[in-house]
Amino acid sequence: QAVLGHACGAFRFAPPLHSRRQAAMPLVELYARERDMPSFSAQELCTFMEGLFKAQPGIVQVMMIPVRDLAPEPVFLSLRAKGTADRKERVNELLSSIGSWLSEHGVKGGRVRIELFEPSQQGAHKWGPPPEVAADTRDVGDEKVVKAASEEGSAAPEQSIGA
């Protein structure tokens, strides 16, 4: 494995060439203080981004990251995606659409940043079951609700489990 340096001094390992995929994923990172964190879920934002970027389900990755402090904007969304010709031509439209969606979903103000990259400079590797098979767990009051999918891929009913 090759070691890649980073400007901040952190290092990460590049995956072996045989595990790199050609399909580069749009990566969405939303940063906000806990009190400013939007009420929509990462999945809701992911579904919107899949439509906007014309990406198949499972390709877009969304992370909603609470931070201790943030300035000057209360919410910052950083997006990294493959620089296709269509996306390069539509950068301002993409940014505007994201800002409008965030506003419609309760984000009063913030900043959106997009970075379009050359696909040959990126790789990704996935492991484990597909997202629709993995259990979806969320806290609801004093209980955890688990929604599990069967091995055939159809969703099973939600089950409450003690916290």
Side-chain angles (χ1 to χ4, degrees):
Q1 291 187 349
V3 177
L4 302 176
H6 187 271
C8 296
F11 291 92
R12 63 183 173 92
F13 289 95
L17 287 176
H18 62 80
S19 69
R20 293 183 188 181
R21 295 176 18 165
Q22 292 294 44
M25 78 170 111
L27 175 63
V28 181
E29 299 168 309
L30 188 143
Y31 299 92
R33 287 183 219 100
E34 196 67 47
R35 69 176 183 254
D36 298 322
M37 188 60 70
S39 60
F40 56 80
S41 70
Q43 185 58 58
E44 290 173 288
L45 180 55
C46 185
T47 300
F48 166 73
M49 291 292 184
E50 287 169 348
L52 186 64
F53 283 88
K54 301 173 185 154
Q56 295 296 316
I59 299 297
V60 175
Q61 179 67 50
V62 173
M63 294 178 280
M64 295 178 65
I65 306 163
V67 296
R68 186 176 65 81
D69 202 6
L70 186 63
E73 304 295 340
V75 175
F76 181 78
L77 188 142
S78 179
L79 190 143
R80 190 167 191 277
K82 180 174 20 176
T84 64
D86 175 62
R87 291 174 184 169
K88 288 176 184 178
E89 292 172 10
R90 297 177 43 222
V91 167
N92 290 332
E93 177 189 332
L94 293 168
L95 291 170
S96 178
S97 294
I98 294 166
S100 294
W101 189 91
L102 291 170
S103 181
E104 291 166 11
H105 287 80
V107 179
K108 291 180 175 59
R111 182 178 307 251
V112 177
R113 167 201 175 273
I114 190 168
E115 176 185 346
L116 299 176
F117 64 89
E118 167 57 41
S120 67
Q121 300 297 310
Q122 194 264 350
H125 175 75
K126 185 194 173 311
W127 69 96
E132 62 273 6
V133 175
D136 174 27
T137 304
R138 65 182 186 279
D139 288 324
V140 179
D142 293 334
E143 299 183 328
K144 282 191 176 185
V145 176
V146 177
K147 183 177 180 182
S150 70
E151 291 183 9
E152 290 86 350
S154 62
E158 292 188 340
Q159 305 166 359
S160 293
I161 58 175

